[in-house]
Amino acid sequence: VDELLAALRAVAEPTRLRIIALCLKGELTVSELVRITGQSQPRISRHLKLLTDAGLLERSREGTWVFYRMAQDGIGAPLAQHLSILLPDGDEILTRDRDRLAEVKRDRAEAAATYFRNNAAEWDHLRSLHVDQAVVEQVIRNLLPADKNASLLDIGTGTGHLLELLGPELGPCQGVDLSHEMLSVARANLDRAAAVNCRVRQADLRQLPFAASTFDIAAIHQVLHYVDDQALAISEAARVLKPGGKLLVVDLAPHKHEALRDEHKHRRLGFPDEEAAGWFIHAHLELKETVHLAGDPLTVSIWLAEKPEQLETGSATTGAQAAALH
Ligand SMILES: C[S@@+](CC[C@H](N)C(=O)[O-])C[C@H]1O[C@@H](n2cnc3c(N)ncnc32)[C@H](O)[C@@H]1O
């Protein structure tokens, strides 16, 4: 009861309730919360400390950025879900906060899109800055053995490199990406490689334009550190996987290279295994393999998860459902 009372006391204040309403829609940094609420940084930091101490929010520091997200354990998680139902729809301040949050997300997405627009031509070189790409590719081939009957969806395909790599060993392969410029490079690469079973189209990974249970394999290769809701991305990938289908996620292990934020527009500086495990649980996937490939200075993490056979079609959270949750 003490824990519940402390949590209730913490949210019983207008700005703190606004912060909770915002964090229910995804993790945010202090400066984003300052921009949205229009309050000073010391004030927001004090409110955030109170909410974190009361178990409603979790704080994680990554270099010079600190992210706040809804707590996953303890009284905070169920309390926040109840509050999300009770928050009044038409409230003027909450509506303005939501609009500003949308603005913040738009600006963020625009910065990333501009980066990819400007770097589409040289992305294949930039990718190899992480770890020897040949080593990563060998692990991927081992985890996803050749199967001419298996269909693949490469989410955030960029220049289509994974399609080129796996296309010759698989059945129909589809790549999606938000960036027209990246897709133009991908189309040229796939033409050159005569990858007739591979095609690409523009789509947002948060709302994939495919029916549930469409693909045998989905891959998300070096994409998640750009997006602001990894759990939603994984749930949406899980939705389009057939039962028994595999999801391959390749990204960076936690690191301290702040320059990747400034120069390459990364939002997150890698992901710990525990966080990745949380995405798969949320999406009703079973984590099968974790591989770390140590590089200098970055380590690449590879996670392979599977959609259980007995899972009924549509029981994984859909993009729209997950969006409603956030
Ligand atoms: C770092 S690149 C990786 C490309 C490719 N997977 C690879 O490893 O070479 C990240 C890609 O994700 C795409 N992307 C970012 N946000 C996206 C979204 N919401 N929906 C679809 N693609 C997105 C970008 O346009 C970019 O092409």
Side-chain angles (χ1 to χ4, degrees):
V1 172
D2 287 347
E3 199 190 348
L4 176 61
L5 283 172
L8 288 170
R9 267 195 293 272
V11 288
E13 197 277 338
T15 305
R16 293 203 284 276
L17 193 58
R18 287 169 68 192
I19 293 174
I20 291 294
L22 287 163
C23 287
L24 274 164
K25 301 201 173 296
E27 63 185 14
L28 287 164
T29 64
V30 182
S31 58
E32 287 169 338
L33 283 163
V34 166
R35 179 173 159 197
I36 294 166
T37 58
Q39 300 203 4
S40 70
Q41 205 227 297
R43 262 184 86 102
I44 291 297
S45 294
R46 192 169 49 83
H47 286 311
L48 287 169
K49 180 168 182 345
L50 278 161
L51 289 168
T52 309
D53 289 348
L56 281 143
L57 295 183
E58 279 171 10
R59 176 183 193 277
S60 77
R61 172 175 280 284
E62 267 190 18
T64 54
W65 289 16
V66 179
F67 288 91
Y68 287 88
R69 55 183 77 103
M70 296 311 305
Q72 300 299 310
D73 307 309
I75 198 81
L79 180 60
Q81 288 312 321
H82 286 297
L83 285 172
S84 72
I85 296 163
L86 296 173
L87 289 168
D89 258 350
D91 181 82
E92 202 181 313
I93 294 177
L94 293 181
T95 305
R96 199 181 58 207
D97 283 353
R98 259 201 307 272
D99 291 347
R100 285 190 184 156
L101 173 65
E103 230 171 73
V104 164
K105 288 191 176 194
R106 252 196 318 275
D107 288 356
R108 219 193 267 153
E110 185 47 40
T114 304
Y115 169 78
F116 287 116
R117 198 153 48 232
N118 298 336
N119 289 286
E122 55 165 335
W123 170 251
D124 286 335
H125 161 66
L126 291 171
R127 186 197 313 101
S128 63
L129 295 178
H130 305 143
V131 169
D132 182 356
Q133 190 59 22
V135 179
V136 178
E137 289 171 5
Q138 191 51 53
V139 174
I140 293 176
R141 282 175 194 279
N142 292 345
L143 292 172
L144 300 174
D147 177 356
K148 286 283 184 191
N149 292 318
S151 54
L152 166 76
L153 175 65
D154 183 23
I155 299 170
T157 191
T159 55
H161 182 71
L162 208 61
L163 298 175
E164 262 192 86
L165 177 76
L166 298 175
E169 298 171 0
L170 299 175
C173 296
Q174 171 81 59
V176 291
D177 203 284
L178 210 48
S179 160
H180 283 297
E181 287 73 14
M182 288 297 232
L183 289 173
S184 303
V185 180
R187 286 193 180 96
N189 287 343
L190 294 171
D191 269 357
R192 197 179 13 79
V196 286
N197 60 329
C198 299
R199 50 171 70 177
V200 294
R201 65 186 277 190
Q202 198 206 15
D204 190 328
L205 56 78
R206 289 165 292 192
Q207 265 187 311
L208 295 169
F210 305 108
S213 306
T214 301
F215 296 94
D216 297 293
I217 304 168
I220 310 182
H221 187 282
Q222 299 294 358
V223 177
L224 290 182
H225 53 254
Y226 289 102
V227 307
D228 56 15
D229 194 337
Q230 295 80 27
L232 173 61
I234 299 288
S235 291
E236 185 57 352
R239 181 183 68 79
V240 299
L241 270 185
K242 293 177 187 168
K246 293 186 165 83
L247 173 61
L248 178 88
V249 179
V250 181
D251 218 286
L252 299 173
H255 64 85
K256 295 191 164 52
H257 293 275
E258 201 74 41
L260 291 183
R261 279 203 173 113
D262 305 331
E263 291 161 24
H264 299 291
K265 301 292 168 237
H266 287 204
R267 174 165 171 80
R268 293 291 310 275
L269 299 183
F271 301 101
D273 287 342
E274 308 75 58
E275 187 173 346
W279 309 327
F280 299 128
I281 292 170
H282 176 255
H284 309 292
L285 296 176
E286 287 169 6
L287 179 60
K288 296 290 183 189
E289 299 263 4
T290 301
V291 179
H292 297 295
L293 298 173
D296 187 13
L298 298 169
T299 290
V300 167
S301 295
I302 302 179
W303 299 284
L304 183 75
E306 204 172 284
K307 183 164 174 175
E309 289 282 0
Q310 70 274 22
L311 196 70
E312 281 173 29
T313 305
S315 67
T317 318
T318 65
Q321 284 167 340
L325 276 176
H326 290 281

